[in-house]
Amino acid sequence: MGYKLEINASNKHIHLDREDLDKLFGEGYELTFKKALKQPGQFASEEKVQVIGPKGSFSGIRVLGPVRKDTQLELALTDCRQIGIDAPIRESGHVEGTPGCKLVGPKGEMELEHGVIVAKRHAHFSPEDAREAGVENGQIVKIKIESKERTTIYDDVVCRVSDSCATEVHVDTDEANAAAMGGGTICEIVE
């Protein structure tokens, strides 16, 4: 394969549906744009929530926009252990049967019944880049991250191909730290 692409770490964050945004920030509230993300139309907002689990909490969890169909909290395994949530590793959007937590915003709080996941590592591709890389939507690949101290190979990376994707790999902070990744890191599809 040998196709090279950018890889970025995804810190803990939350996507809210309309109903939960209203509960936490007030009826009809609109997210405030802070910074564009690489994926088209997605952005980091100024808004943050507190997440409370059975053993602890995190303040200042960034809300990503736009509003989604289902609320989804994405944590790394280390985060989950810290606050006592046994979240499964799942592809984004697959929140059925996952644990929940308490969410606190400036205008309200709520019990999230389900939606806490550890995001499965994945590679976004535009259709053109997918053809060049020789991958298809849903295909599982292996990537190699070269760093000075810790060259790392990750298996089980799911490819997502869509007209609405910018080409890049996402791993969580545990995976990025294990590979000693810095900003602007490039990885290679090796299998």
Side-chain angles (χ1 to χ4, degrees), residues 130-149:
R131 280 190 295 278
E132 189 177 325
V135 299
E136 296 178 2
N137 190 50
Q139 183 177 343
I140 303 298
V141 297
K142 203 178 274 192
I143 61 167
K144 180 179 182 182
I145 306 163
E146 290 207 33
S147 63
K148 262 171 91 172
E149 293 88 16

Side-chain angles (χ1 to χ4, degrees), residues 7-8 23 31 34-35 43 56 61 64 72-73 75 80 88 94 97 106 115 119 124 126 138 161 165-166 180 182:
I7 184 169
N8 290 299
K23 286 178 189 172
L31 293 173
K34 176 180 173 69
K35 167 178 113 168
F43 62 94
I61 300 297
L64 299 187
Q72 175 176 293
L73 173 63
L75 302 173
C80 292
H94 296 209
H124 294 280
S126 68
V161 180
C165 285

Side-chain angles (χ1 to χ4, degrees), residues 28-109:
Y29 190 87
E30 295 296 328
L31 293 173
T32 309
F33 180 91
K34 176 180 173 69
K35 167 178 113 168
L37 302 177
K38 185 161 183 181
Q39 294 307 307
Q42 297 186 26
F43 62 94
S45 77
E46 294 287 351
E47 287 71 26
K48 297 177 182 178
V49 298
Q50 181 182 17
V51 171
I52 302 172
K55 292 184 179 177
S57 66
F58 293 118
S59 294
I61 300 297
R62 177 103 33 217
V63 178
L64 299 187
V67 169
R68 287 223 181 153
K69 178 180 161 272
D70 294 305
T71 293
Q72 175 176 293
L73 173 63
E74 296 182 33
L75 302 173
L77 285 170
T78 300
D79 302 325
C80 292
R81 289 184 184 109
Q82 191 173 342
I83 63 171
I85 297 176
D86 186 20
I89 297 171
R90 292 273 181 92
E91 285 189 53
S92 182
H94 296 209
V95 296
E96 312 81 27
T98 60
C101 63
K102 184 174 184 177
L103 299 175
V104 180
K107 298 286 185 180
E109 57 186 56

Side-chain angles (χ1 to χ4, degrees), residues 166-183:
T167 302
E168 72 175 326
V169 174
H170 286 160
V171 295
D172 67 27
T173 51
D174 286 347
E175 294 164 322
N177 289 335
M181 275 176 48

Side-chain angles (χ1 to χ4, degrees), residues 17-27 105-111:
D17 66 19
R18 178 77 255 170
E19 183 181 347
D20 294 344
L21 180 64
D22 288 346
K23 286 178 189 172
L24 297 169
F25 290 91
E27 191 71 32
K107 298 286 185 180
E109 57 186 56
M110 58 171 284
E111 287 295 330

Side-chain angles (χ1 to χ4, degrees), residues 104-124:
V104 180
K107 298 286 185 180
E109 57 186 56
M110 58 171 284
E111 287 295 330
L112 180 66
E113 291 183 17
H114 63 274
V116 183
I117 67 166
V118 175
K120 183 173 183 160
R121 51 186 170 250
H122 56 279
H124 294 280

